[in-house]
Amino acid sequence: MVNSSTTLKQYIDFTNDKDVDVDISITIKEGNKSVESIRKREKVIRVFSTILLYIVVTFFALLMVFPFYWMIITSLKNNSEILSSTQTFFPTIVMWTNYVYVFNHFNFLTYMTNTIVVAIFSTIGTLITTIFGAFAFARLNFKGREALFMVFLMTMMIPGEMMVISNYITVAAFGWIGEGATLMDAYAAMIVPFWVSVFYIYLLRQNFKQIPNELYLAAKVDGKSDWSFLWKVMVPLAAPTLISICILKFMGAWNSYVWPNLVANKDEFRLISNGLRGSSFVDADSGRVEYGYQTAATVLVTVPLFLLFIFFRKYIMRGVGRAGIKG
């Protein structure tokens, strides 16, 4: 309940009508609290809420960063310290030689070259099929378009592991795997089966549907073909989503493990993710895995993806965010 009291004092000199001095003081009370005390309480609550918010955000940020920090310090430890029952948050002896070992005894450059080639061509192929598929489902009117698109979406429910056998039989029929396979065959086996992504087609289709249909009709009036409208209007307008697709596909190809390990029969065909699980990090005498060397190689593999995400994260957020809005 709000109680208000107003004290009004006026001193008027009747001898001179121009000299009027008015002093008004207003006090508003809420219960037994004045306005000033209410303001102080709200300020304290606001400051306390801000401090609590920063504490929670900082805690979760450290929780996310800690695995990366642990990976880095592990890459600078020797194997005995890593396997010790007493773990330290900083290496007792900094082992920079772990990184030297990666370049000298681990086929790092070959694995990285294979990974970069597969990631780039997988991204380019996926980008092309995604643009054409999304344009067809978003702009072209043909019978059964919505039914076909629903079938496409239903395939997203099928786990990728269920397609491994059929994909393996397909690439084997082309002679891309086996003893007589060449490096180009291995590249084709790791790239071609994954050029089509239903999720990326759906993502880009939603973005294409945001583009006003009036632009398409105006282009038709001007005599533009669907091909010209696609590359001159729709692709530039959907650039943030396309950049997001490129980055996500590149990261997925970079981190792929199961399929490349299945089709790359020779060591010189393997990707970096498969090379990290190879015998290069196993001690020949004890048969023990040298985790310091292995973690050092993992750091070198993770850094490019980490930098890629840092510099292009705004495009990923913008592209995915725009794809979820229609109208």
Side-chain angles (χ1 to χ4, degrees):
M1 182 175 181
V2 178
N3 298 322
S4 62
S5 62
T6 305
T7 303
L8 176 62
K9 297 179 180 179
Q10 297 180 345
Y11 300 95
I12 303 175
D13 188 359
F14 295 97
T15 60
N16 189 354
D17 295 334
K18 296 180 180 180
D19 296 335
V20 178
D21 185 10
V22 179
D23 182 11
I24 302 176
S25 61
I26 300 176
T27 302
I28 300 177
K29 292 185 178 181
E30 184 180 353
N32 295 325
K33 299 177 182 178
S34 63
V35 173
E36 191 64 27
S37 63
I38 294 174
R39 288 177 178 174
K40 288 182 180 180
R41 185 186 64 179
E42 291 178 350
K43 185 177 180 180
V44 171
I45 294 175
R46 186 167 55 253
V47 171
F48 179 77
S49 301
T50 304
I51 294 174
L52 183 62
L53 175 63
Y54 275 97
I55 291 175
V56 173
V57 171
T58 303
F59 171 76
F60 282 103
L62 293 176
L63 196 65
M64 296 296 295
V65 172
F66 181 76
F68 294 98
Y69 171 76
W70 193 259
M71 178 178 65
I72 293 173
I73 64 170
T74 303
S75 68
L76 297 173
K77 294 179 179 180
N78 55 42
N79 213 42
S80 59
E81 185 176 358
I82 295 173
L83 298 176
S84 175
S85 58
T86 304
Q87 295 295 321
T88 59
F89 287 90
F90 195 80
T92 305
I93 301 176
V94 179
M95 301 291 294
W96 296 107
T97 54
N98 291 348
Y99 290 90
V100 177
Y101 177 90
V102 172
F103 288 101
N104 291 339
H105 299 83
F106 180 58
N107 205 359
F108 184 76
L109 294 180
T110 300
Y111 294 147
M112 285 295 291
T113 302
N114 294 340
T115 304
I116 292 173
V117 170
V118 171
I120 290 176
F121 283 96
S122 294
T123 303
I124 293 175
T126 301
L127 194 63
I128 293 174
T129 58
T130 299
I131 291 174
F132 290 155
F135 179 76
F137 285 121
R139 290 299 173 195
L140 301 183
N141 293 319
F142 55 91
K143 290 184 178 180
R145 185 186 68 172
E146 297 302 325
L148 181 60
F149 185 68
M150 289 301 298
V151 173
F152 257 59
L153 293 182
M154 289 169 62
T155 61
M156 294 177 61
M157 305 300 170
I158 303 175
E161 291 76 7
M162 293 184 63
M163 303 179 184
V164 170
I165 297 177
S166 59
N167 287 337
Y168 189 88
I169 294 173
T170 302
V171 297
F174 284 98
W176 290 344
I177 58 176
E179 294 299 328
T182 64
L183 181 60
M184 295 304 296
D185 293 331
Y187 284 161
M190 289 184 284
I191 294 172
V192 175
F194 302 98
W195 267 351
V196 178
S197 173
V198 178
F199 171 73
Y200 294 146
I201 291 175
Y202 166 75
L203 191 68
L204 188 60
R205 171 188 177 270
Q206 296 303 106
N207 192 267
F208 278 171
K209 289 181 74 67
Q210 297 178 42
I211 300 174
N213 195 46
E214 288 75 12
L215 290 177
Y216 181 69
L217 298 177
K220 285 297 184 180
V221 171
D222 291 339
K224 297 291 184 181
S225 62
D226 290 337
W227 178 268
S228 179
F229 177 75
L230 171 63
W231 294 106
K232 292 183 178 180
V233 179
M234 300 193 76
V235 168
L237 291 176
T241 302
L242 292 173
I243 294 175
S244 301
I245 292 173
C246 288
I247 296 172
L248 294 175
K249 177 59 182 179
F250 188 89
M251 295 173 65
W254 186 282
N255 292 323
S256 59
Y257 177 79
V258 176
W259 179 255
N261 190 50
L262 185 65
V263 299
N265 298 321
K266 299 180 181 180
D267 189 65
E268 58 267 24
F269 298 168
R270 295 186 180 277
L271 304 187
I272 191 67
S273 57
N274 306 125
L276 291 174
R277 296 289 297 174
S279 59
S280 301
F281 305 112
V282 178
D283 192 324
D285 298 328
S286 62
R288 218 170 35 175
V289 178
E290 295 288 344
Y291 293 105
Y293 300 150
Q294 192 177 49
T295 312
T298 305
V299 171
L300 295 176
V301 174
T302 306
V303 167
L305 291 183
F306 181 76
L307 296 177
L308 184 70
F309 179 79
I310 289 296
F311 289 113
F312 292 97
R313 67 187 184 279
K314 63 178 181 180
Y315 296 104
I316 298 177
M317 305 303 178
R318 188 187 307 171
V320 176
R322 289 183 60 186
I325 302 174
K326 181 181 177 181

